[in-house]
Amino acid sequence: MIKIKMYPACQGDAFLVSFNNESTNIIIDMGLGKTYTDFIKPDLTALKHRGSSIDLLVVTHVDNDHIEGAIKFVKENAGNSEIIEVKEIWHNSYRHLQFSKNAKALEHDEITTLKQICSQNNLRTEQVGLQNVSIEEGVTLAGLLYGYNYPWNIKLGSNAVIKQNEVVKIADDVAIRLISPDVNKLEKLAQSWKSKLESEKYDFTMNDDELFDDAFEQYMKMPELHSSVQDISKNDQQLNFGELVNLVGKDNSATNGSSIAFIIEHKEHKLLFLGDAHEDNVYEELSRLNANGYELDFELVKVSHHGSNNNISKRLLGLISSKRFLISTNGRHFHPDLGAIAKVVDSGMRAEIITNYPHDKLETFRASIAKQSQNVSFKTTNQIIVE
């Protein structure tokens, strides 16, 4: 049996996936700080009391609504024992970006610039003094992982979490098949970071100083970086069903492009978790798998980017089948998009669309579903059981 908790994470993502009566547990993102405090922490405390641990925590990317709860958890968990043991964390930070770094020491003005970047986005970060963590203005996930020496990307040789041909074994009967990001998406993120630094100083030193991880994380969390990503839900109420189905979008966010996406394999079951990953990356890798005889039949799909039309397509849905589509959002940023829902309805799959908050806009599809004799239903819940 697989038990999936889809926490009420406001506009963010937070999932706990448990296998075989909690003998193996995977957390995927932890939402905002309040998500962790109000919902996740009590579950982790109970897991520890029952003798369980977290086999893997995946922080898919650096957006606030995916990472802030993880920062608060790692801070409280301290040396990996206060709340619950975490056997491994997967997360891509500055150290994993695909560009060469040299041994040259940072100059004084470069250190000053990086510290200023750290402070620019820490108004929402609690001020915490923490020994052995190289950050002065606030606490980042990278700084905490360094400071507490957490096992970080160990199963991947301490390298970047990127798509690869081999599955990664998490437990005897639980494995992960990575499908996103690829090197190109991480290079795009790296270029965004380098452009920021070079706007401050020509030929900015790029080395392995841990201060880079802190500044990188704080900069990439700034909301203005995502202002170019415009979803269309606020304007799609006037479109008919056919127009919604054919509505095409594209996510150009470098941080979303770096999002970790993967298939969890457990016995005969497959679960597809897409984070905020780009549609092109997901489609290309799933197509490759399918061409090699891999069946793309899923128990559930966690829809990318909270049901954004920019991260889903007719071609992707035509490639897979799934019994459930999970959409995690409270409706902020107008998610889920009606275009995304219309595509799932139009795909012809017999499936549930499961949300962790109620959305009145979904009611607009009931007439279309009945008219087309489609077997799609809507459900609001925070817990899914796969048997």
mmCIF file of all heavy atoms in Angstrom, residues 104-115 201-206 211-212:
data_model
loop_
_atom_site.group_PDB
_atom_site.id
_atom_site.type_symbol
_atom_site.label_atom_id
_atom_site.label_comp_id
_atom_site.label_asym_id
_atom_site.label_seq_id
_atom_site.Cartn_x
_atom_site.Cartn_y
_atom_site.Cartn_z
ATOM 1 N N LYS A 104 40.577 30.998 -7.386
ATOM 2 C CA LYS A 104 40.864 32.382 -7.002
ATOM 3 C C LYS A 104 39.954 32.815 -5.855
ATOM 4 O O LYS A 104 38.756 32.562 -5.857
ATOM 5 C CB LYS A 104 40.644 33.301 -8.210
ATOM 6 C CG LYS A 104 40.877 34.772 -7.932
ATOM 7 C CD LYS A 104 40.529 35.606 -9.161
ATOM 8 C CE LYS A 104 40.606 37.091 -8.856
ATOM 9 N NZ LYS A 104 40.185 37.908 -10.027
ATOM 10 N N ALA A 105 40.547 33.478 -4.870
ATOM 11 C CA ALA A 105 39.769 33.938 -3.727
ATOM 12 C C ALA A 105 38.895 35.125 -4.115
ATOM 13 O O ALA A 105 39.230 35.906 -5.012
ATOM 14 C CB ALA A 105 40.701 34.334 -2.590
ATOM 15 N N LEU A 106 37.751 35.243 -3.439
ATOM 16 C CA LEU A 106 36.876 36.376 -3.671
ATOM 17 C C LEU A 106 37.540 37.662 -3.196
ATOM 18 O O LEU A 106 38.202 37.695 -2.158
ATOM 19 C CB LEU A 106 35.554 36.188 -2.911
ATOM 20 C CG LEU A 106 34.595 35.115 -3.424
ATOM 21 C CD1 LEU A 106 33.476 34.896 -2.426
ATOM 22 C CD2 LEU A 106 34.028 35.494 -4.781
ATOM 23 N N GLU A 107 37.318 38.713 -3.956
ATOM 24 C CA GLU A 107 37.801 40.021 -3.543
ATOM 25 C C GLU A 107 36.797 40.640 -2.565
ATOM 26 O O GLU A 107 35.649 40.219 -2.469
ATOM 27 C CB GLU A 107 38.000 40.918 -4.766
ATOM 28 C CG GLU A 107 39.060 40.385 -5.719
ATOM 29 C CD GLU A 107 39.210 41.251 -6.970
ATOM 30 O OE1 GLU A 107 38.560 42.322 -7.030
ATOM 31 O OE2 GLU A 107 39.958 40.845 -7.878
ATOM 32 N N HIS A 108 37.250 41.691 -1.869
ATOM 33 C CA HIS A 108 36.416 42.297 -0.832
ATOM 34 C C HIS A 108 35.082 42.782 -1.392
ATOM 35 O O HIS A 108 34.017 42.551 -0.790
ATOM 36 C CB HIS A 108 37.159 43.472 -0.183
ATOM 37 C CG HIS A 108 36.324 44.212 0.819
ATOM 38 N ND1 HIS A 108 36.036 43.702 2.070
ATOM 39 C CD2 HIS A 108 35.688 45.425 0.737
ATOM 40 C CE1 HIS A 108 35.261 44.554 2.722
ATOM 41 N NE2 HIS A 108 35.042 45.614 1.940
ATOM 42 N N ASP A 109 35.110 43.448 -2.557
ATOM 43 C CA ASP A 109 33.872 43.971 -3.119
ATOM 44 C C ASP A 109 32.950 42.858 -3.592
ATOM 45 O O ASP A 109 31.716 43.002 -3.582
ATOM 46 C CB ASP A 109 34.157 44.961 -4.244
ATOM 47 C CG ASP A 109 34.923 44.340 -5.404
ATOM 48 O OD1 ASP A 109 35.577 43.297 -5.196
ATOM 49 O OD2 ASP A 109 34.881 44.898 -6.516
ATOM 50 N N GLU A 110 33.510 41.715 -3.972
ATOM 51 C CA GLU A 110 32.685 40.576 -4.378
ATOM 52 C C GLU A 110 31.986 39.965 -3.162
ATOM 53 O O GLU A 110 30.811 39.585 -3.230
ATOM 54 C CB GLU A 110 33.549 39.539 -5.090
ATOM 55 C CG GLU A 110 34.076 40.036 -6.442
ATOM 56 C CD GLU A 110 35.072 39.097 -7.086
ATOM 57 O OE1 GLU A 110 35.806 38.403 -6.341
ATOM 58 O OE2 GLU A 110 35.134 39.063 -8.328
ATOM 59 N N ILE A 111 32.710 39.860 -2.067
ATOM 60 C CA ILE A 111 32.098 39.363 -0.822
ATOM 61 C C ILE A 111 30.962 40.293 -0.399
ATOM 62 O O ILE A 111 29.871 39.840 -0.018
ATOM 63 C CB ILE A 111 33.156 39.252 0.287
ATOM 64 C CG1 ILE A 111 34.174 38.153 -0.058
ATOM 65 C CG2 ILE A 111 32.495 38.960 1.642
ATOM 66 C CD1 ILE A 111 35.349 38.074 0.899
ATOM 67 N N THR A 112 31.211 41.602 -0.486
ATOM 68 C CA THR A 112 30.191 42.582 -0.120
ATOM 69 C C THR A 112 28.944 42.435 -0.991
ATOM 70 O O THR A 112 27.807 42.470 -0.501
ATOM 71 C CB THR A 112 30.751 44.008 -0.253
ATOM 72 O OG1 THR A 112 31.868 44.149 0.638
ATOM 73 C CG2 THR A 112 29.690 45.043 0.104
ATOM 74 N N THR A 113 29.156 42.255 -2.298
ATOM 75 C CA THR A 113 28.032 42.087 -3.223
ATOM 76 C C THR A 113 27.205 40.859 -2.868
ATOM 77 O O THR A 113 25.970 40.908 -2.827
ATOM 78 C CB THR A 113 28.538 41.972 -4.670
ATOM 79 O OG1 THR A 113 29.160 43.197 -5.051
ATOM 80 C CG2 THR A 113 27.401 41.660 -5.631
ATOM 81 N N LEU A 114 27.872 39.732 -2.607
ATOM 82 C CA LEU A 114 27.150 38.501 -2.276
ATOM 83 C C LEU A 114 26.372 38.651 -0.977
ATOM 84 O O LEU A 114 25.232 38.176 -0.864
ATOM 85 C CB LEU A 114 28.132 37.330 -2.186
ATOM 86 C CG LEU A 114 28.768 36.883 -3.509
ATOM 87 C CD1 LEU A 114 29.860 35.844 -3.257
ATOM 88 C CD2 LEU A 114 27.718 36.317 -4.463
ATOM 89 N N LYS A 115 26.939 39.326 0.002
ATOM 90 C CA LYS A 115 26.232 39.525 1.267
ATOM 91 C C LYS A 115 25.032 40.450 1.086
ATOM 92 O O LYS A 115 23.990 40.260 1.726
ATOM 93 C CB LYS A 115 27.192 40.081 2.324
ATOM 94 C CG LYS A 115 28.201 39.042 2.817
ATOM 95 C CD LYS A 115 29.066 39.594 3.929
ATOM 96 C CE LYS A 115 29.997 38.511 4.473
ATOM 97 N NZ LYS A 115 30.847 39.009 5.582
ATOM 98 N N LYS A 201 29.713 43.406 -11.316
ATOM 99 C CA LYS A 201 31.160 43.571 -11.521
ATOM 100 C C LYS A 201 31.594 42.718 -12.702
ATOM 101 O O LYS A 201 31.265 41.523 -12.775
ATOM 102 C CB LYS A 201 31.944 43.165 -10.270
ATOM 103 C CG LYS A 201 33.454 43.281 -10.443
ATOM 104 C CD LYS A 201 34.212 42.664 -9.292
ATOM 105 C CE LYS A 201 35.708 42.706 -9.593
ATOM 106 N NZ LYS A 201 36.513 42.024 -8.558
ATOM 107 N N TYR A 202 32.354 43.282 -13.600
ATOM 108 C CA TYR A 202 32.874 42.539 -14.743
ATOM 109 C C TYR A 202 33.815 41.442 -14.253
ATOM 110 O O TYR A 202 34.627 41.633 -13.351
ATOM 111 C CB TYR A 202 33.612 43.478 -15.704
ATOM 112 C CG TYR A 202 34.274 42.755 -16.862
ATOM 113 C CD1 TYR A 202 33.504 42.234 -17.895
ATOM 114 C CD2 TYR A 202 35.652 42.584 -16.903
ATOM 115 C CE1 TYR A 202 34.082 41.557 -18.952
ATOM 116 C CE2 TYR A 202 36.255 41.916 -17.948
ATOM 117 C CZ TYR A 202 35.465 41.405 -18.979
ATOM 118 O OH TYR A 202 36.049 40.723 -20.020
ATOM 119 N N ASP A 203 33.719 40.254 -14.857
ATOM 120 C CA ASP A 203 34.599 39.126 -14.546
ATOM 121 C C ASP A 203 34.539 38.763 -13.064
ATOM 122 O O ASP A 203 35.551 38.574 -12.402
ATOM 123 C CB ASP A 203 36.038 39.448 -14.957
ATOM 124 C CG ASP A 203 36.892 38.182 -15.063
ATOM 125 O OD1 ASP A 203 36.312 37.101 -15.299
ATOM 126 O OD2 ASP A 203 38.120 38.276 -14.904
ATOM 127 N N PHE A 204 33.321 38.626 -12.551
ATOM 128 C CA PHE A 204 33.102 38.245 -11.153
ATOM 129 C C PHE A 204 33.722 36.871 -10.903
ATOM 130 O O PHE A 204 33.574 35.948 -11.697
ATOM 131 C CB PHE A 204 31.600 38.194 -10.869
ATOM 132 C CG PHE A 204 31.234 38.380 -9.426
ATOM 133 C CD1 PHE A 204 30.706 39.580 -8.991
ATOM 134 C CD2 PHE A 204 31.388 37.358 -8.501
ATOM 135 C CE1 PHE A 204 30.332 39.764 -7.664
ATOM 136 C CE2 PHE A 204 31.033 37.526 -7.178
ATOM 137 C CZ PHE A 204 30.498 38.738 -6.751
ATOM 138 N N THR A 205 34.462 36.742 -9.814
ATOM 139 C CA THR A 205 35.095 35.464 -9.473
ATOM 140 C C THR A 205 34.040 34.402 -9.200
ATOM 141 O O THR A 205 33.080 34.632 -8.464
ATOM 142 C CB THR A 205 35.981 35.615 -8.219
ATOM 143 O OG1 THR A 205 36.993 36.575 -8.479
ATOM 144 C CG2 THR A 205 36.613 34.287 -7.835
ATOM 145 N N MET A 206 34.184 33.222 -9.799
ATOM 146 C CA MET A 206 33.293 32.092 -9.546
ATOM 147 C C MET A 206 34.123 30.978 -8.924
ATOM 148 O O MET A 206 34.966 30.367 -9.588
ATOM 149 C CB MET A 206 32.657 31.603 -10.846
ATOM 150 C CG MET A 206 31.955 32.691 -11.663
ATOM 151 S SD MET A 206 30.542 33.430 -10.844
ATOM 152 C CE MET A 206 29.362 32.093 -10.942
ATOM 153 N N LEU A 211 29.417 31.016 0.428
ATOM 154 C CA LEU A 211 28.615 32.227 0.379
ATOM 155 C C LEU A 211 27.839 32.313 -0.932
ATOM 156 O O LEU A 211 26.746 32.881 -0.986
ATOM 157 C CB LEU A 211 29.516 33.450 0.556
ATOM 158 C CG LEU A 211 28.842 34.827 0.629
ATOM 159 C CD1 LEU A 211 27.802 34.868 1.745
ATOM 160 C CD2 LEU A 211 29.888 35.915 0.832
ATOM 161 N N PHE A 212 28.377 31.718 -2.013
ATOM 162 C CA PHE A 212 27.674 31.695 -3.292
ATOM 163 C C PHE A 212 26.340 30.959 -3.167
ATOM 164 O O PHE A 212 25.338 31.372 -3.757
ATOM 165 C CB PHE A 212 28.526 31.012 -4.362
ATOM 166 C CG PHE A 212 29.460 31.943 -5.089
ATOM 167 C CD1 PHE A 212 30.814 31.927 -4.817
ATOM 168 C CD2 PHE A 212 28.986 32.823 -6.047
ATOM 169 C CE1 PHE A 212 31.681 32.770 -5.487
ATOM 170 C CE2 PHE A 212 29.843 33.671 -6.727
ATOM 171 C CZ PHE A 212 31.195 33.646 -6.447
#
